[in-house]
Amino acid sequence: EPWGVFVLLVVMLLLSLSMAGLFEIGAKASSVGGNLTQKDGVSGSFFSGILAVVIATPCSAPLLGPAIGAAWKYDGPLFFIALLMMGVGLSIPYITLSFFPSLVNKLPRPGAWMESFKQGMSFLLFATVGYLLWVYNSQIGEDGQKGLAIMLGITIIASAAWIYGRWSLPYKPTKTRVKANILSLALLGSGIALAMPTIEKQLDPEVAAAENKVPALEWGVWSQEKVDQLLAEGTPVYIDFTAKWCFTCQTNKAAAYTADVRKFMHDNGVVLLKADMTKKHPEATKAVQALDRAAIPVNVFYAAGDNTPHVTRELLSADYLLEFMQQRTKK
């Protein structure tokens, strides 16, 4: 479920950044739960355990995450036993030290090493983030444009965490903390909105019918021999010199090829060719240079019976591209 993977991805990212030292998770929980843990009897022990679990979450997540995921597959008693064993595991150090108090003297003394250890453990969570990102991108980001939005959204979420950890600190002025909190929430919301799974919008029936009526574009693999062959046959050709690392190229793909543009291409028998320059492509590079361009994006249109290459501007819109092709086709 993409939503489940996305939520895990964001949570793991924030926990990773917290363990790396960008901001702290658990400090406020300590002060809030302090009074509850001071109670006598069972209630005090219960809330002490709750607080220990909350504060330990960033450190225990790399190990407990897979365990909880496995336990979730079980039903009834097995699920209960799995969670019980996690609780027993958490309490074993306390129980052991209660029976053998002298062991306290054997424990490592608190110090700077604890912070280094915590930051080192953050890389386990960063590895989990990378894995979840790979899975999530495979689910919804394979079209390229959404994959780019996912990366930008994750970056914005990380920047929100950095602002919160940098300026929303107890010793900072109240105004500074308020501004930091507002900006962090705004960036967090923006990043989530950008990276989250796409929510299907209910289009106007006429618009939906128009979109569904025109089939998707089919791109062939570009080669100069293929272009020469098509031009010799008098076939109109549209070439897209592109690459995954080209941000403007991805923006053009998301904005330019609407139903009207696709309909014009289909009605006029335009053959579409894609020159993918994500990896080194010497032949495509020479073709781009021959068109008097130094870099991509480069989009070229050859009208039927016209061997003149008509190069578009770098940034495309649907209206511009449609008018561009219509004018060249009339000639």
Side-chain angles (χ1 to χ4, degrees), residues 2-173:
W3 277 102
V5 177
F6 176 66
V7 170
L8 283 175
L9 171 61
V10 173
V11 170
M12 289 297 181
L13 174 65
L14 294 177
L15 288 176
S16 303
L17 295 173
S18 174
M19 290 181 67
L22 242 63
F23 64 98
E24 293 296 330
I25 293 178
K28 292 185 179 180
S30 299
S31 60
V32 171
N35 294 332
L36 295 174
T37 61
Q38 297 303 318
K39 292 184 177 182
D40 295 328
V42 176
S43 62
S45 298
F46 175 77
F47 286 113
S48 294
I50 292 290
L51 186 62
V53 171
V54 171
I55 295 176
T57 296
C59 295
S60 60
L63 302 177
L64 280 183
I68 293 175
W72 204 260
K73 299 178 182 178
Y74 300 137
D75 295 324
L78 288 177
F79 178 69
F80 175 78
I81 291 172
L83 294 183
L84 178 62
M85 289 300 101
M86 295 178 198
V88 171
L90 178 71
S91 64
I92 281 178
Y94 299 93
I95 295 173
T96 303
L97 293 175
S98 297
F99 279 104
F100 306 101
S102 60
L103 292 178
V104 173
N105 297 326
K106 303 293 184 180
L107 296 177
R109 292 290 179 261
W113 70 269
M114 297 175 65
E115 182 64 21
S116 299
F117 179 76
K118 185 187 75 169
Q119 292 182 8
M121 291 291 289
S122 71
F123 289 99
L124 293 176
L125 280 185
F126 278 122
T128 304
V129 171
Y131 171 72
L132 290 172
L133 183 59
W134 175 68
V135 172
Y136 184 59
N137 190 63
S138 298
Q139 290 178 318
I140 71 169
E142 288 187 328
D143 63 344
Q145 286 71 48
K146 186 59 183 179
L148 180 61
I150 292 170
M151 298 303 298
L152 292 176
I154 293 300
T155 303
I156 292 173
I157 292 172
S159 67
W162 175 72
I163 291 173
Y164 174 81
R166 181 76 174 177
W167 284 285
S168 185
L169 297 170
Y171 62 84
K172 293 287 185 180

Side-chain angles (χ1 to χ4, degrees), residues 176-298:
T176 301
R177 285 187 281 123
V178 170
K179 291 179 181 178
N181 290 338
I182 293 175
L183 185 57
S184 296
L185 287 174
L187 288 174
L188 179 63
S190 300
I192 290 175
L194 194 60
M196 70 181 188
T198 304
I199 299 176
E200 295 295 334
K201 297 180 180 179
Q202 293 295 329
L203 297 176
D204 179 88
E206 294 183 1
V207 176
E211 284 290 335
N212 294 330
K213 188 176 181 180
V214 183
L217 298 176
E218 296 183 4
W219 295 86
V221 179
W222 174 89
S223 70
Q224 190 58 52
E225 292 76 12
K226 182 68 173 177
V227 174
D228 295 339
Q229 177 186 344
L230 291 170
L231 294 180
E233 297 171 355
T235 304
V237 181
Y238 181 87
I239 306 171
D240 181 16
F241 292 91
T242 184
K244 291 287 183 65
W245 42 259
C246 172
F247 181 81
T248 307
C249 299
Q250 307 309 321
T251 303
N252 288 340
K253 288 178 175 59
Y257 304 117
T258 61
D260 290 337
V261 173
R262 300 199 309 272
K263 185 176 185 304
F264 175 87
M265 290 179 169
H266 282 292
D267 291 347
N268 288 273
V270 179
V271 175
L272 292 89
L273 300 177
K274 180 186 293 184
D276 191 347
M277 301 174 67
T278 302
K279 298 179 180 179
K280 287 185 177 181
H281 197 322
E283 187 180 2
T285 301
K286 291 179 180 179
V288 168
Q289 294 172 347
L291 294 168
D292 199 25
R293 288 292 183 88
I296 55 175
V298 175

